[in-house]
Amino acid sequence: MELQGANDGIRLAAYRANLPAPVANGKATSGGFESDYYTCDGDGSSVASRVSVDLTGYETLDAPPRYDFYANTEVWGRRRQFRPSLFQLHAGPETPAGFTQCCICSQIRCMLNIWGVILYLRLPWITAQAGIGMTWVIILLSSTITGITGLSTSAIATNGKVKGGGTYFLISRSLGPELGGSIGLIFAFANAVAVAMHTVGFAETVTDLMRENEAVMVDRTNDIRIIGIITVTCLLGISMAGMAWESKAQVLFFIVIMVSFASYIVGTIIPASPEKQSKGFFSYKANIFAANFVPDWRGPGGSFFGMFSIFFPSATGILAGANISGDLKNPAVAIPRGTLLAIFWTTVSYLIISATIGSCVVRDASGVLNDTLSPSSAVEDCVGTACQYGWDFTGCINNKTCVYGIHNYYQSMSMVSAFGPLITAGIFGATLSSALACLVSAPKVFQCLCKDQLYPLIGFFGKGYGKNNEPIRGYLLTYIIAACFILIAELNTIAPIISNFFLCSYSLINFSCFHASITNSPGWRPSFRFYSKWLSLLGAICSVVIMFLLTWWAALIAFGVVFILLAYTLYKKPDVNWGSSVQASSYNMALSRCAGLNSVEDHVKNYRPQCLVLTGPPSSRPALVDLVSCFTKDLSLMLCGNVLTKAMSDSHLNWLNKRKAGSFYRGVVAADLQSGVNVLLQGAGLGRVKPNVLIMGFKKDWRSDTPQAAHNYIGVIDAFDLQFGVCVLRMREGLEVSSPSQSHASVSIEPEPQHSTQFQKKQGKKTIDVYWLSDDGGLTLLLPYLLTRRKRWAKCKVRVFVGGDAEKKDEQKQEVDTNSKPDSDSGCASQHQEPWMITDQDFEKNKAKSLRQIRLNEVLLDYSREAALIITTMPVGRRGVCPSTLYLAWLDFLSRDLRPPVLLVRGNQENVLTFYCQ
């Protein structure tokens, strides 16, 4: 956006005053005052500098919104920009900093990486095998996959800055570390193998030149190995020495390749000499075009997908522009334009070369000048298209000993060219530039992966050296991998291996774009709009299908590696947060499922205990967390509640995640425990996913604490009015593992270490004793059943003790009705003013229940000493009849002096069990 008045021609730089105290980023420096938010933008000028130089009437350091102001990382090779501080804005004008140096055009870099050894040494041979028509299909299919991937890459790359790491960075920051990490390893390995492929192509050309000049070291295969190892060693030395000259060298390579193309095209037009005719070149002939248009499959790899697997590596290299996005003036324009134009022009060049070489050169030729068709020979006995032009290659065709022709001679382009050495120079330029690029990119990708620390044992290779943080160890690892594949010394064997790995990478790039689009995340807003999520999905599917059609076992290996690494990262859950589309998708699915539950009526068969656990800071009561997690993890909701007196902290949630409790955390700020819990009881949850059971620890210090604190505690237990079930856990050694806070209300603290508790251990063949004394709807029976579904409780035997006497039912009912009537108004007033006070009337009125709790404790001591856990029905105190301290005394006497943990349970008197099918 251009500011009004920016073109008025008023220059105010001369009127700027120098600052007396140089400051940079809020710190004094030895140099002049320096700004960190001036940088190359779009048209080569800085928005910020334009604003501060070309204004009318006044100067300002205010900068418009920029990406770097909100980024938390630096872009490789470029200084990060910072928002001007308040001091800078107020202190006065400053001198604009220099612009970032522009890098080589993204299009040239992509084209150089796409053009390679296959173009010069295998495209004529593929044309001979598949014919011109099927070769075009192979080229167009490859270009379709790379074109769709280019669109997806453009969308992802323009959704934010792409740093070093190329494909790994694109996928990992889009799909997350699970898939990104695995494809990072595969992509780095594919680039390492690509070094071997391009180096073998170079060595093959050198070997052929040596054989033409009768210079042989051992034999052709070993010569390729020797030359390849020497070449890759030299490339390693260049890479480790530094790549400051690489951009200029790329331009030189590009010029050499273009000159070699021109030499080839001119050579196809020049009339063929007898020597070239003996090698099968006759310039443009309709009969040759017609004969070479149809396939002529030969050899074990002679098939459509066999040729596709060899050709496809020549269509890769489209990610070169995305890899240098941090160095481009305007990545949002340069990456899409450069990538797509590179795909277009390289596709055109492949189509042209395939059509021209297939129109000029026959499939088989002997290269012998004497193999002309003599006047005495019968034309009918002559085999091959060359017979129509006076040449008889019948002998070598029948004997399969022809050494020339596009079926047999890999250097056919050099033979056709107007000046053969130019094609050789083009081969050298294409192979060496591609090999060098892959040798540099593989360690960079691997270094980025190592620094993210997703996998063990590979951190050793992440160390950088020098001012450019060069991955020297990664270079050596890439060199070793490349050297191993160079020893194969067969281009047709190496190329299919690379094809599967690159197809796997492209399928995940396309899926990344589709997945990011389908989640409708507000963070997905690429500036490149010419993409389709459905086209990206099609590209991903096609890439996977072609992988299996090419080499099914290699595809299985590639995906096997992906799934193994995926399983590892899912298990380890690396501590990274990249805002991936997987996270956005998880949110979408959770929101959709929660909204869908609104239209589903509750049914007793689908009842789940959704627990609000009053842990305070969860790390202070790990036993309470562990027990509840045993019957809620992967089954129902667990929400750890904390009533705070100060601001909340996210460290508690981190503690829960490390403990793998499967729990949420919610802290509320309130003046006291009861009001804070009331907020949690009414506000926690989402839709139908909300707590229905309140679980808390027993208040052991109720006798020494104030009566009001005890009354507030009982007020928390009295959650029955909100239709909650209530559970209270008591352990002989207590629940606290840190300094106890006042009840459940606490100041937010840092998480404690992960203390172990008895609920984390296997319980063996002990018993879970259930005392179902009152019918509460079945919650007392449901919880022990859920416990036995866990492996650590599976061997425990559940024993159920049922209390009550059917013959005394009417008598007990009469007792309840009598006790529920208040004796006088003064008693009510006393209860209202001091509800914790126990009068003589209260004691006598509740004497039977008090004695019942004492007797029940004796029963528990007699029958359940060796139990793993005791679950018993919790008594209910009637409001206005039972004082809060008396009720707390019941719970105390009922559960005291017991070695096993005791869980007091009371359902909300609604069925949670059913014995019927509907």
Side-chain angles (χ1 to χ4, degrees):
M1 181 181 70
E2 198 72 34
L3 295 178
Q4 187 176 12
N7 296 322
D8 292 347
I10 300 176
R11 301 286 176 175
L12 301 178
Y15 298 94
R16 295 188 170 190
N18 294 325
L19 283 179
V23 177
N25 296 329
K27 297 181 181 180
T29 61
S30 58
F33 195 81
E34 183 179 29
S35 170
D36 283 331
Y37 64 91
Y38 293 103
T39 187
C40 188
D41 186 343
D43 58 353
S45 62
S46 167
V47 173
S49 64
R50 195 188 314 140
V51 170
S52 59
V53 176
D54 299 331
L55 293 176
T56 57
Y58 65 94
E59 290 186 308
T60 177
L61 293 177
D62 276 338
R66 299 188 64 87
Y67 166 83
D68 279 4
F69 297 167
Y70 299 90
N72 57 3
T73 56
E74 293 188 8
V75 176
W76 189 275
R78 180 169 63 82
R79 185 176 58 181
R80 182 182 168 190
Q81 308 163 32
F82 294 91
R83 182 184 295 107
S85 66
L86 186 62
F87 176 82
Q88 290 173 317
L89 293 174
H90 187 66
E94 57 182 282
T95 304
F99 301 135
T100 356
Q101 184 179 3
C102 298
C103 290
I104 191 171
C105 177
S106 173
Q107 179 181 346
I108 294 179
R109 182 175 290 268
C110 284
M111 293 176 72
L112 282 174
N113 277 265
I114 294 172
W115 284 327
V117 62
I118 302 297
L119 169 67
Y120 288 99
L121 299 183
R122 289 299 182 271
L123 186 56
W125 175 71
I126 293 173
T127 304
Q129 288 269 5
I132 298 173
M134 295 302 292
T135 301
W136 276 37
V137 173
I138 291 173
I139 294 171
L140 293 176
L141 179 59
S142 301
S143 299
T144 299
I145 294 174
T146 56
I148 294 174
T149 307
L151 294 175
S152 301
T153 302
S154 300
I156 297 174
T158 57
N159 192 52
K161 296 290 185 181
V162 179
K163 302 192 300 180
T167 300
Y168 164 68
F169 189 88
L170 289 176
I171 298 178
S172 63
R173 269 53 176 183
S174 180
L175 283 180
E178 294 82 8
L179 285 175
S182 56
I183 206 60
L185 282 177
I186 288 179
F187 189 71
F189 181 76
N191 275 276
V193 179
V195 175
M197 183 187 74
H198 294 295
T199 304
V200 167
F202 171 81
E204 194 175 279
T205 304
V206 174
T207 301
D208 289 342
L209 290 174
M210 292 172 59
R211 291 172 66 86
E212 290 177 1
N213 293 278
E214 299 181 354
V216 178
M217 291 181 286
V218 184
D219 53 50
R220 189 175 190 277
T221 300
N222 285 308
D223 287 358
I224 292 176
R225 290 170 178 165
I226 294 171
I227 296 172
I229 294 296
I230 294 173
T231 303
V232 78
T233 304
C234 295
L235 293 176
L236 175 66
I238 295 173
S239 301
M240 296 177 67
M243 294 294 295
W245 53 270
E246 186 203 8
S247 296
K248 295 180 180 179
Q250 295 282 14
V251 176
L252 178 61
F253 287 141
F254 182 77
I255 294 173
V256 170
I257 291 174
M258 296 306 295
V259 171
S260 70
F261 284 169
S263 175
Y264 165 76
I265 296 298
V266 171
T268 61
I269 301 173
I270 297 175
S273 64
E275 182 181 359
K276 287 187 177 182
Q277 288 183 357
S278 68
K279 296 179 180 179
F281 172 63
F282 297 94
S283 193
Y284 292 103
K285 303 294 181 181
N287 291 334
I288 296 178
F289 175 83
N292 289 340
F293 189 82
V294 295
D296 181 25
W297 308 115
R298 298 184 189 178
S303 65
F304 176 84
F305 287 106
M307 295 301 104
F308 181 89
S309 66
I310 295 174
F311 174 80
F312 187 76
S314 67
T316 60
I318 61 174
L319 299 174
N323 290 340
I324 61 166
S325 65
D327 299 320
L328 299 174
K329 289 182 179 180
N330 193 341
V333 175
I335 291 176
R337 182 181 297 171
T339 302
L340 297 177
L341 284 177
I343 293 173
F344 173 78
W345 287 117
T346 52
T347 301
V348 170
S349 67
Y350 287 139
L351 293 174
I352 291 175
I353 291 174
S354 174
T356 54
I357 199 77
S359 302
C360 298
V361 185
V362 296
R363 283 189 166 106
D364 298 289
S366 64
V368 179
L369 290 173
N370 294 330
D371 282 348
T372 57
L373 189 63
S374 63
S376 60
S377 301
V379 179
E380 294 79 8
D381 296 333
C382 185
V383 179
T385 311
C387 299
Q388 303 176 37
Y389 308 107
W391 290 84
D392 186 5
F393 303 131
T394 304
C396 73
I397 292 175
N398 291 335
N399 298 329
K400 297 182 179 179
T401 57
C402 296
V403 293
Y404 288 96
I406 54 177
H407 237 317
N408 310 291
Y409 187 50
Y410 290 147
Q411 302 286 345
S412 294
M413 285 186 63
S414 179
M415 182 264 294
V416 171
S417 174
F419 185 61
L422 286 179
I423 297 296
T424 303
I427 295 173
F428 288 175
T431 54
L432 293 179
S433 65
S434 298
L436 189 59
C438 293
L439 185 59
V440 171
S441 62
K444 294 289 185 181
V445 172
F446 194 58
Q447 183 186 38
C448 184
L449 176 63
C450 294
K451 287 186 175 181
D452 285 337
Q453 299 180 348
L454 301 182
Y455 305 113
L457 305 178
I458 63 174
F460 173 81
F461 298 99
K463 181 177 176 59
Y465 295 87
K467 62 179 181 180
N468 293 327
N469 198 34
E470 294 293 338
I472 303 298
R473 297 172 180 175
Y475 284 135
L476 294 175
L477 178 62
T478 304
Y479 170 78
I480 293 172
I481 295 173
C484 292
F485 280 89
I486 287 172
L487 296 179
I488 297 175
E490 181 53 57
L491 196 61
N492 294 353
T493 303
I494 300 174
I497 299 175
I498 301 175
S499 295
N500 266 282
F501 288 122
F502 276 114
L503 280 168
C504 187
S505 302
Y506 292 169
S507 66
L508 283 176
I509 289 179
N510 286 309
F511 183 75
S512 299
C513 182
F514 166 75
H515 197 267
S517 302
I518 205 72
T519 55
N520 293 321
S521 172
W524 173 252
R525 45 183 188 275
S527 58
F528 180 77
R529 300 294 182 183
F530 304 101
Y531 74 96
S532 168
K533 57 186 176 184
W534 303 115
L535 196 60
S536 297
L537 179 62
L538 177 63
I541 295 174
C542 289
S543 298
V544 173
V545 170
I546 293 174
M547 283 181 66
F548 283 93
L549 291 176
L550 293 182
T551 315
W552 63 268
W553 57 266
L556 287 178
I557 292 175
F559 278 104
V561 172
V562 170
F563 288 133
I564 290 173
L565 297 175
L566 172 64
Y568 176 83
T569 48
L570 287 173
Y571 174 75
K572 283 296 185 179
K573 292 182 174 59
D575 187 18
V576 295
N577 184 10
W578 296 328
S580 67
S581 61
V582 174
Q583 295 171 333
S585 178
S586 299
Y587 176 84
N588 283 356
M589 288 189 292
L591 191 63
S592 176
R593 297 294 186 271
C594 286
L597 287 175
N598 291 333
S599 59
V600 178
E601 294 294 332
D602 290 333
H603 195 282
V604 64
K605 289 195 297 185
N606 295 324
Y607 174 86
R608 298 166 186 259
Q610 303 186 104
C611 303
L612 171 60
V613 191
L614 299 184
T615 58
S619 58
S620 65
R621 295 175 180 86
L624 187 59
V625 173
D626 293 337
L627 176 62
V628 179
S629 176
C630 285
F631 53 78
T632 61
K633 188 176 181 182
D634 300 327
L635 174 74
S636 59
L637 174 69
M638 176 181 175
L639 176 63
C640 291
N642 186 13
V643 180
L644 302 141
T645 57
K646 292 186 179 180
M648 293 171 281
S649 170
D650 291 334
S651 59
H652 303 310
L653 184 59
N654 296 333
W655 185 90
L656 287 169
N657 290 338
K658 290 180 180 178
R659 203 167 187 86
K660 299 180 180 179
S663 174
F664 297 93
Y665 171 80
R666 185 73 173 94
V668 296
V669 177
D672 57 71
L673 172 68
Q674 189 171 358
S675 59
V677 172
N678 192 45
V679 172
L680 288 171
L681 289 172
Q682 298 185 65
L686 179 65
R688 294 189 183 273
V689 185
K690 60 183 179 181
N692 53 25
V693 177
L694 175 67
I695 301 181
M696 57 196 302
F698 180 72
K699 185 174 176 61
K700 292 183 63 176
D701 61 346
W702 68 277
R703 293 186 180 183
S704 59
D705 209 343
T706 63
Q708 182 64 49
H711 177 68
N712 289 341
Y713 177 81
I714 297 302
V716 172
I717 294 180
D718 193 15
F720 301 112
D721 292 342
L722 297 174
Q723 296 299 304
F724 272 72
V726 178
C727 302
V728 176
L729 176 65
R730 182 173 188 177
M731 299 179 66
R732 190 170 188 177
E733 63 274 15
L735 295 175
E736 296 276 356
V737 296
S738 58
S739 56
S741 57
Q742 186 177 13
S743 186
H744 290 272
S746 62
V747 177
S748 178
I749 59 174
E750 291 297 321
E752 297 278 341
Q754 298 285 345
H755 296 284
S756 61
T757 67
Q758 68 184 81
F759 298 121
Q760 292 179 309
K761 305 172 184 176
K762 290 188 176 181
Q763 302 301 318
K765 296 183 178 181
K766 296 182 180 179
T767 62
I768 301 176
D769 290 352
V770 181
Y771 291 84
W772 195 16
L773 307 178
S774 302
D775 191 344
D776 60 351
L779 184 63
T780 308
L781 281 182
L782 180 61
L783 295 183
Y785 164 71
L786 295 178
L787 283 177
T788 57
R789 294 173 62 176
R790 300 295 177 183
K791 183 180 293 187
R792 68 189 70 161
W793 294 87
K795 295 183 179 180
C796 290
K797 180 181 179 181
V798 178
R799 301 193 300 174
V800 181
F801 301 85
V802 180
D805 190 343
E807 298 178 356
K808 297 182 179 181
K809 181 174 65 174
D810 295 336
E811 179 182 343
Q812 293 172 352
K813 182 178 180 181
Q814 181 66 27
E815 177 187 351
V816 172
D817 292 340
T818 303
N819 290 343
S820 63
K821 299 178 181 178
D823 292 342
S824 63
D825 295 340
S826 61
C828 292
S830 174
Q831 284 286 332
H832 181 70
Q833 294 174 1
E834 295 181 331
W836 55 81
M837 293 295 295
I838 305 176
T839 64
D840 292 338
Q841 289 180 331
D842 296 329
F843 182 77
E844 290 298 327
K845 190 184 304 180
N846 295 283
K847 184 176 182 180
K849 284 191 175 181
S850 299
L851 294 176
R852 192 176 300 138
Q853 312 312 318
I854 297 174
R855 175 56 186 152
L856 181 57
N857 177 258
E858 294 174 353
V859 173
L860 298 181
L861 287 171
D862 290 340
Y863 290 95
S864 302
R865 288 181 180 274
E866 303 302 324
L869 177 67
I870 299 174
I871 299 178
T872 181
T873 302
M874 184 171 64
V876 177
R878 296 182 67 84
R879 188 182 294 112
V881 177
C882 180
S884 56
T885 49
L886 179 59
Y887 179 62
L888 194 50
W890 288 355
L891 303 184
D892 190 0
F893 278 107
L894 173 61
S895 58
R896 69 164 44 194
D897 298 330
L898 294 170
R899 187 198 62 79
V902 181
L903 184 65
L904 306 174
V905 180
R906 190 75 186 205
N908 63 356
Q909 302 303 116
E910 294 182 0
N911 287 347
V912 301
L913 298 175
T914 180
F915 300 101
Y916 304 99
C917 296
Q918 60 181 13

